[in-house]
Amino acid sequence: MAQLSDDCFAFGGALLSVEQAEALIAERVPPLAGVATVPLHAARGRVLAEALRAGVALPPFFNAAVDGYAFRHADLGAGETALPLAGRVAAGHGGGPLPARSAVRIFTGAPMPPGADSVLMQEDAREADGAVLVPPGLKPGANARPAGEDVALGSVALAAGTRLHAPQIGLAAALGNATLGVRPLVRVGVFSTGDELASPGTALGPAQTYDSNRFTLLALLGGLPVVATDLGILPDDAAATTHALAVAAGTQDLLLTSGGVSTGEEDHVRAAIQHGGSLVFWRLAVKPGRPAAMGVIAGTPVLGLPGNPVAAVVTFLHLARPMVLRLAGARPEPLPRFPAEAAFSYRKKAGRREYVRVRLAPGTPLPRAEKFEREGAGLLTSLTECDAFAELPEEVTAVAPGDSVAVLPFAACF
Ligand code: AMP
Ligand code: MG
């Protein structure tokens, strides 16, 4: 861990942009060391430790892409050509070379007989008197798959730092790998903070509300290469918060908290980070999501996310997700964004980025972004009933119907 210095972002009036926060995370948080070998069935969601080179070509040999008839394209005449059938080759079996001016019955995945270069699909073929009738117009190489057309022998099939999802695991298997070298899972401890919070399943006292953030955050972490631990609810108490963070820092690679990170007298997370370690930044120029803090306690990064549930999700996506990916040694994965047409009017202050919850509806040429009726960083239904955040940049002060806006479909990140 690089030595962290207190800087203006931590204490000054300046609010950080998401990019500045991401840059600080990239600069200050190194990937965890180590490599583990896991079987393919345990590799889903893990991060590939080293580049995977193809030990075989894919496909390994020249083969038929369809059921039909293999022949040499140069044997075809200008019109329909009758080629006597000289044999049959099925998938998993080899055959001899193709005799001159003849064809071979062939099935998908079977090796092309040496000398053959093209395949007529059986739906387009007729057989008569022991010959196949090949209509004109077929291109050389039709319906045949050259060796290595997917992956060349010895080439890098998957780069180091690739996250292993179903397609990557399938590719590794196709290249003959039974196991893969992966990065260690990131141990993430999740706290909620607040005297008002009750755990779901317990009775709700007066002035209490159920803790949702802990479960949202644990569920968000479920899609990432982590071992997440539920560390419960911290009271609004400075000493208890400082102590709990210091203890957890000893067993986790990353700590996430929510709530208690604003400027109120009952907000103790930022001070606890300062007492137990050092603060890297505090406060983002983002709405919802302004009161977010990052620091380091005993070498363990700590992210203090805001308490309001929507702000916690916004800051998770922009801070916690890249931090986890960084610790996991994964290549950065920018959040998905695409253009949409605003179907709403909106006014905002310059100088901060806003995430407006929207529903996406089909539209031409762009999908339409319809704004959720109500605003408020605490409205959980604004997430359950929407698909995306419309991302309104710092310099924008107004949005009118018909404007093009970038949308971030958050369901894709969950
Ligand atoms: P705070 O930043 O601690 O002042 O919290 C801001 C708002 O978010 C308050 O209304 C809190 O009650 C609410 N809040 C904080 N933490 C949670 C949580 N874990 N689950 C649900 N709401 C929360
Ligand atoms: Mg609180």
Side-chain angles (χ1 to χ4, degrees):
M1 173 65 52
Q3 189 56 47
L4 298 164
S5 59
D6 294 337
D7 56 39
C8 63
F9 297 124
F11 307 106
L15 304 191
L16 233 66
S17 69
V18 169
E19 286 72 24
Q20 286 170 316
E22 280 174 354
L24 281 169
I25 288 169
E27 190 183 305
R28 315 269 176 118
V29 179
L32 301 176
V35 181
T37 301
V38 295
L40 288 187
H41 64 74
R44 191 169 73 92
R46 303 294 297 258
V47 175
L48 192 63
E50 278 163 17
L52 185 74
R53 282 191 182 274
V56 293
L58 191 62
F61 53 88
F62 189 30
N63 70 95
V66 295
D67 292 339
Y69 300 84
F71 51 86
R72 193 179 291 109
H73 194 270
D75 288 343
L76 300 184
E80 187 178 69
T81 309
L83 294 173
L85 286 173
R88 183 179 186 281
V89 51
H93 301 275
L98 182 74
R101 286 200 53 78
S102 59
V104 159
R105 183 78 170 109
I106 198 163
F107 299 92
T108 307
M112 294 286 282
D117 56 18
S118 308
V119 177
L120 172 68
M121 59 173 21
Q122 65 187 22
E123 291 82 347
D124 297 337
R126 277 187 305 132
E127 272 191 41
D129 303 330
V132 59
L133 303 175
V134 183
L138 213 67
K139 294 204 174 84
N143 302 316
R145 303 184 283 215
E149 76 163 358
D150 200 357
V151 183
L153 176 67
S155 66
V156 172
L158 296 170
T162 296
R163 277 218 283 160
L164 299 167
H165 303 298
Q168 289 75 18
I169 290 171
L171 181 58
L175 295 171
N177 300 277
T179 61
L180 290 170
V182 296
R183 295 281 203 153
L185 293 170
V186 182
R187 299 168 300 169
V188 186
V190 181
F191 288 105
S192 287
T193 72
D195 287 350
E196 77 281 27
L197 299 180
S199 277
T202 65
L204 203 59
Q208 281 200 306
T209 190
Y210 283 120
D211 176 3
S212 64
N213 288 347
R214 199 155 35 103
F215 302 93
T216 309
L217 296 175
L218 288 166
L220 284 165
L221 288 166
L224 293 168
V226 303
V227 181
T229 304
D230 181 345
L231 296 176
I233 302 170
L234 291 173
D236 286 320
D237 177 84
T241 305
T242 305
H243 178 72
L245 292 184
V247 170
T251 58
Q252 304 292 327
D253 302 310
L254 171 64
L255 298 180
L256 293 184
T257 66
S258 67
V261 75
S262 196
T263 43
E265 281 167 32
E266 299 292 347
D267 293 328
H268 302 292
V269 171
R270 182 170 55 111
I273 296 173
Q274 280 169 314
H275 285 147
S278 59
L279 197 65
V280 177
F281 64 73
W282 178 57
R283 298 202 303 169
L284 299 177
V286 169
K287 184 185 172 188
R290 187 164 103 139
M294 186 222 152
V296 178
I297 297 177
T300 297
V302 184
L303 263 181
L305 304 179
N308 275 308
V310 180
V313 169
V314 168
T315 49
F316 179 93
L317 294 179
H318 287 101
L319 302 178
R321 183 177 173 277
M323 177 107 75
V324 167
L325 292 175
R326 173 107 187 124
L327 286 163
R331 290 184 296 163
E333 292 177 20
L335 295 168
R337 288 175 173 85
F338 63 85
E341 182 187 306
F344 61 89
S345 304
Y346 191 74
R347 301 197 75 79
K348 70 180 268 295
K349 284 188 188 157
R352 70 185 183 200
R353 188 174 304 180
E354 291 202 21
Y355 290 94
V356 173
R357 284 139 276 172
V358 295
R359 296 187 187 98
L360 296 176
T364 312
L366 295 176
R368 287 160 48 82
E370 294 163 359
K371 184 175 164 300
F372 189 69
E373 301 71 34
R374 285 162 291 140
E375 282 155 37
L379 298 173
L380 274 160
T381 52
S382 68
L383 295 177
T384 58
E385 293 178 19
C386 287
D387 318 296
F389 294 117
E391 184 177 55
L392 309 182
E394 286 74 358
E395 65 281 5
V396 166
T397 55
V399 176
D403 286 356
S404 177
V405 290
V407 293
L408 204 158
F410 48 68
C413 316
F414 289 174

